[in-house]
């Protein structure tokens, strides 16, 4: 991998004056999606240059909390061209994901330029490609561009009134690493997605004095594995089935496999599991939350409405004074500055198309990793990579 802080030394910089036929495909982001696409393009004989704003591959994975493991199986999480080692186990840890991404880039000898942030993409002057405006005054021209900056790009904190006056410690889940700093303390976790649920369990196991979990909408909870059958397998099987059918099938399975936690503040959702997925809410995979809630170690409380007089104000009128608040409130894609002017984003800031399809008004521009599929993110990134490479090769022929 090359680290080229100066434009003059940037191996990708030469493409700014190259003929259309010589221009590489630029891949923005050296996470799993970007690396997979780069390999798939190389496998088809196309030059792919990965631009990464940080100094290493897998930057977002390096920032995740310590106990994180993939919720998808090792075998169904490998990227094209390189299996994950068996020694990583069935549920691959964060550190091993990072090791795998490093090995992946090395094994395939991918062309990666680190320390380069792309700020804006626009059509090239000749209309035959794309012009990238990047850090250090770089202007790079590519035959096609794949945006793979990631689903978890910019931490999102709701515009809660009074937050500035909160007297305790406040941080987004992106800054959470482990429970050690919270031992013996009263902690409120806001948000019951997979991240919030796992952090709450981590805090309990790490010795926090009290852990409360603020929930706005009760989630669907599924067992990560039942009798050896990973929930991901079910996700793969139902991926293409009608939403209504999957919703109906999921209800009796949930009643069999997951206890009713209504008495503990987590009622069964009144909307279907797959309907929620379509709206962007992936089921919570249980890694200890069910037991922690049933035993009272994680207390479920109402949604946070704001902060008042240095306290946390909940939707039911309750005021809390925790020592610390961890906001597991999700991320923004943050694509507006990069491609917002191209009319390729929907009202929620997501690409209007993804995978091998380009927007009609932006041929040669592709997006990967901006959905959160029930069948597993890594699996879908791997599939998308091959399809994108095929689409790019078809346009180049």
């Amino acid at each position: 991998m090359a680290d080229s802080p100066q434009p003059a030394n940037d191996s990708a910089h030469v493409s700014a004056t190259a003929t259309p036929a010589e221009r590489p495909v630029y891949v923005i982001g050296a996470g799993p999606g970007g690396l997979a696409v780069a390999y798939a393009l190389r496998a088809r004989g196309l030059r792919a240059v990965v631009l990464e704003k940080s100094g290493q591959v897998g930057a977002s994975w390096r920032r995740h909390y310590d106990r994180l493991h993939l919720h998808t199986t090792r075998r169904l999480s490998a990227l094209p061209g390189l299996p994950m080692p068996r020694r990583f186990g069935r549920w691959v840890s964060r550190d091993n994901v990072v090791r795998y991404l490093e090995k992946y880039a090395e094994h395939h000898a991918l062309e990666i330029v680190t320390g380069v942030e792309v700020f804006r993409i626009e059509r090239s002057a000749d209309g035959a490609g794309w012009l990238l405006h990047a850090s250090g005054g770089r202007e790079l021209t590519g035959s096609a561009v794949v945006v793979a900056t990631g689903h978890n790009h910019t931490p999102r904190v709701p515009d809660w009134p009074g937050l500035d006056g909160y007297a305790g410690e406040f941080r987004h889940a992106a800054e959470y690493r482990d429970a050690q700093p919270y031992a013996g303390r009263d902690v409120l976790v806001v948000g019951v997605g997979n991240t919030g649920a796992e952090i709450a369990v981590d805090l309990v196991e790490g010795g926090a004095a009290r852990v409360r979990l603020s929930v706005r909408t009760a989630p669907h909870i599924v067992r990560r594995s039942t009798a050896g059958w990973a929930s991901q397998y079910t996700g793969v099987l139902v991926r293409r089935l009608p939403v209504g059918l999957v919703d109906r099938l999921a209800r009796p399975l949930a009643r069999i496999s997951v206890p009713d936690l209504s008495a503990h503040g987590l009622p069964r959702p009144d909307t279907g599991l797959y309907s929620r997925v379509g709206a962007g809410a992936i089921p919570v995979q249980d890694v200890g939350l069910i037991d922690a809630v049933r035993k009272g170690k994680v207390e479920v409380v109402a949604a946070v409405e704001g902060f008042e007089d240095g306290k946390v104000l909940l939707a039911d009128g309750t005021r809390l004074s925790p020592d610390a608040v961890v906001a597991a409130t999700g991320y923004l894609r943050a694509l507006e500055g990069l491609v917002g002017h191209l009319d390729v984003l929907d009202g929620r800031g997501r690409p209007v198309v993804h995978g091998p399809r380009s927007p009609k008004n932006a041929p040669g521009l592709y997006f990967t990793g901006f959905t959160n599929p029930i069948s597993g993110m890594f699996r879908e990134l791997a599939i998308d990579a091959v399809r994108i490479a095929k689409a790019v090769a078809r346009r180049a022929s």
Side-chain angles (χ1 to χ4, degrees):
M1 292 184 290
D3 187 350
S4 310
Q6 299 299 322
N9 297 324
D10 188 344
S11 63
H13 187 62
V14 296
S15 66
T17 56
T19 65
E22 296 172 329
R23 293 169 181 168
V25 178
Y26 281 110
V27 180
I28 305 175
L35 298 179
V37 169
Y39 162 73
L41 288 165
R42 286 275 302 275
R44 287 185 170 270
L46 299 170
R47 183 187 176 200
V49 178
V50 182
L51 304 176
E52 168 57 45
K53 72 176 182 179
S54 76
Q56 300 168 295
V57 302
S60 64
W61 271 91
R62 297 174 191 273
R63 295 192 299 267
H64 287 313
Y65 49 93
D66 292 350
R67 72 173 283 152
L68 178 64
H69 287 66
L70 287 177
H71 291 163
T72 52
T73 66
R74 171 182 52 82
R75 293 184 63 186
L76 294 185
S77 298
L79 302 179
L82 186 67
M84 285 189 173
R86 291 187 64 181
R87 68 179 182 276
F88 285 179
R90 193 181 196 196
W91 313 107
V92 183
S93 70
R94 179 205 62 185
D95 289 348
N96 280 334
V97 169
V98 172
R99 291 186 182 98
Y100 173 71
L101 296 179
E102 291 174 336
K103 182 63 177 180
Y104 191 87
E106 177 187 359
H107 178 79
H108 293 304
L110 300 181
E111 188 174 351
I112 302 171
V113 185
T114 59
V116 176
E117 182 174 5
V118 180
F119 301 114
R120 183 178 174 89
I121 302 172
E122 57 188 31
R123 268 294 184 190
S124 59
D126 60 10
W130 293 94
L131 177 65
L132 285 65
H133 299 274
S135 55
R138 297 171 177 84
E139 291 188 348
L140 311 172
T141 307
S143 59
V145 176
V146 183
V147 180
T149 50
H151 195 267
N152 296 343
H153 187 275
T154 301
R156 172 187 171 272
V157 176
D159 188 19
W160 284 313
L163 177 57
D164 291 344
Y166 174 54
E169 176 187 326
F170 180 91
R171 65 178 55 192
H172 189 275
E175 302 174 273
Y176 180 93
R177 292 295 171 270
D178 59 53
Q180 190 277 328
Y182 304 95
R185 302 173 70 191
D186 181 346
V187 188
L188 173 67
V189 180
V190 184
V192 70
N194 278 292
T195 297
E198 190 156 3
I199 287 176
V201 173
D202 194 45
L203 287 165
V204 168
E205 295 178 355
R210 186 175 190 181
V211 179
R212 285 174 284 199
L213 181 60
S214 172
V215 176
R216 184 171 298 278
T217 304
H220 286 275
I221 303 175
V222 299
R223 301 286 189 182
R224 187 169 65 174
S225 179
T226 303
W229 178 266
S231 65
Q232 183 189 12
Y233 298 163
T234 303
V236 172
L237 291 175
V238 305
R239 181 82 165 91
R240 304 297 178 186
L241 294 180
V243 172
L245 175 60
V246 178
D247 284 348
R248 290 193 295 273
L249 292 173
R251 290 190 190 102
L253 290 176
R255 293 185 182 280
I256 294 171
S257 62
V258 178
D260 186 358
L261 299 174
S262 299
H264 303 279
L266 278 181
R268 295 189 188 278
D270 54 7
T271 54
L273 182 149
Y274 211 15
S275 295
R276 286 275 190 90
V277 172
I282 293 295
V284 171
Q285 295 211 16
D286 178 46
V287 290
L289 181 66
I290 292 175
D291 285 344
V293 169
R294 293 176 75 181
K295 294 175 181 177
K297 295 181 178 180
V298 170
E299 305 168 48
V300 178
V301 298
V304 171
E305 290 295 305
F307 294 74
E308 191 173 280
D309 298 328
K311 298 181 179 181
V312 183
L313 176 63
L314 303 184
D316 61 3
T318 302
R319 284 172 170 76
L320 305 179
S321 298
D323 299 318
V325 173
V326 178
T329 46
Y331 294 80
L332 301 173
R333 311 293 88 80
L335 292 170
E336 288 77 8
L338 188 67
V339 297
H341 55 287
L342 297 174
D343 193 27
V344 295
L345 304 178
D346 64 17
R348 296 172 60 185
R350 303 172 302 181
V352 293
V353 297
H354 70 277
R357 297 171 56 202
S358 285
K360 291 182 179 180
N361 59 327
L365 179 63
Y366 303 89
F367 297 88
T368 185
F370 295 98
T371 60
N372 199 3
I374 195 172
S375 49
M377 175 70 81
F378 272 57
R379 177 181 182 273
E380 296 301 324
L381 288 174
I383 293 171
D384 273 354
V386 174
R387 291 174 176 172
I388 290 172
K390 183 177 180 180
V392 173
R394 187 165 54 244
R395 288 188 73 251
S397 63

